[in-house]
């Protein structure tokens, strides 16, 4: 199955992606995680991307399209994949269609996780992320068993550089201007499924999994 997980910053894409990827045994491809890994490792790509990311701006399309083209050539994507955080602009969506066309694939479904602005701010300002495995927690809604330590791998939890109030507000604006229009794009193609993301993590998870089973 080829799935796009869509939604505003903080909607819970990363949280739900983990469950979807386990349930359907497909790789979770998060462009945000790939970029942050490059920043951490100090690659040329990471150096270029960091300033955009810290401010909550989108990294230029050409860079993202190259990343995805490359990633979708890896053999683990043969049985399908789950995209999280890509595409984010019309240009990226069109490029993705062309890349998939070339390898005789297409998107089966776009899951649009819907969450309002106030809840986004609440979620992102309390988020903690694992440095080692990228698992996400929330200081109140989804706390780790031991503060500061990842339940999954024992890694150190940190606060992302773009989870400051100013960057969060800017990310929401950028989402509305550049990314939200893709809802229409995928609706027109008949691929969009809306999921109410403002519920308990487990409720959202059950809804997404049962919805996706219909597309299997
Ligand atoms: P990216 O990493 O994709 O960030 P984002 O889209 O802003 O989304 P987040 O990862 O912040 O949120 P999420 O939906 O994954 O939520 P999560 O599950 O963590 O991108 C970062 C940056 O990279 C961009 O700003 C840009 O610069 C660059 N970039 C990446 N892709 C790009 C692209 N394609 N083009 C250009 N630039 C790109 O959950 C959030 C919090 O809420 C957590 O604390 C979690 O525990 C909690 N939570 C989750 N679900 C619930 C729930 N149901 N109830 C209560 N709390 C919940
Ligand atoms: Mg994420
Ligand atoms: Zn971890």
């Amino acid at each position: 199955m080829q799935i796009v997980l869509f939604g505003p910053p903080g909607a819970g894409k990363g949280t739900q992606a983990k469950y979807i990827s386990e349930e359907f045994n497909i790789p979770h491809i998060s462009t945000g995680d790939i970029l942050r890994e490059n920043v951490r490792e100090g690659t040329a790509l990471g150096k270029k991307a960091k300033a955009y990311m810290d401010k909550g701006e989108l990294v230029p399309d050409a860079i993202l399209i190259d990343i995805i083209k490359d990633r979708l050539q890896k053999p683990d994507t043969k049985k399908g994949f789950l995209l999280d955080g890509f595409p984010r602009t019309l240009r990226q969506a069109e490029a993705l269609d062309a890349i998939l066309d070339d390898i005789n694939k297409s998107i089966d479904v776009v899951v649009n996780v819907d969450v309002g602005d106030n809840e986004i701010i609440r979620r992102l300002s309390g988020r903690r992320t694992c440095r080692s495995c990228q698992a996400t927690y929330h200081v109140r809604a989804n706390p780790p068993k031991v503060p500061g330590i990842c339940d999954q791998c024992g890694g150190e939890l940190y606060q992302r550089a773009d989870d400051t109030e100013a960057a969060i507000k800017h990310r929401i604006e950028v989402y509305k201007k550049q990314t939200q229009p893709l809802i229409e794009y995928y609706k027109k193609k008949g691929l969009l499924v809306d999921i109410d993301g403002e519920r308990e993590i487990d409720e959202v998870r059950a809804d997404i999994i049962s919805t996706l089973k219909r597309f299997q």
Side-chain angles (χ1 to χ4, degrees), residues 10-68:
K13 300 183 296 295
T15 304
Q16 298 297 334
K18 204 183 148 294
Y19 304 132
I20 301 169
S21 140
E22 275 169 17
E23 177 75 32
F24 298 98
N25 196 23
I26 49 175
H28 167 209
I29 302 176
S30 155
T31 44
D33 287 349
I34 295 172
L35 289 168
R36 279 184 292 278
E37 198 181 311
N38 276 275
V39 171
R40 207 166 37 245
E41 288 173 358
T43 66
L45 169 64
K47 282 184 182 132
K48 219 184 269 175
K50 187 175 189 313
Y52 294 100
M53 295 174 76
D54 287 354
K55 275 186 289 193
E57 293 281 346
L58 293 185
V59 175
D61 284 335
I63 295 180
L64 268 297
I65 291 166
D66 277 350
I67 291 177
I68 284 296

Side-chain angles (χ1 to χ4, degrees), residues 111-163:
V111 177
N112 175 31
V113 184
D114 195 24
V115 172
D117 292 0
N118 290 337
E119 178 65 10
I120 292 175
I121 294 166
R122 253 196 305 278
R123 287 185 186 183
L124 291 182
S125 49
R127 172 164 62 185
R128 297 294 181 272
T129 305
C130 175
R131 269 196 210 285
S132 309
C133 77
Q134 318 308 321
T136 52
Y137 298 87
H138 190 279
V139 289
R140 283 176 309 278
N142 181 26
K145 291 194 185 86
V146 181
I149 307 285
C150 176
D151 292 351
Q152 318 269 329
C153 77
E156 181 204 355
L157 302 184
Y158 79 110
Q159 193 162 17
R160 266 171 49 177
D162 59 348
D163 281 348

Side-chain angles (χ1 to χ4, degrees), residues 8 19 32 36 62 77 99 106 126 182 191 196 200 211:
Y19 304 132
R36 279 184 292 278
T77 61
I99 292 167
S106 57
L182 292 185
L191 294 175
D196 173 8
E200 294 290 318
T211 302

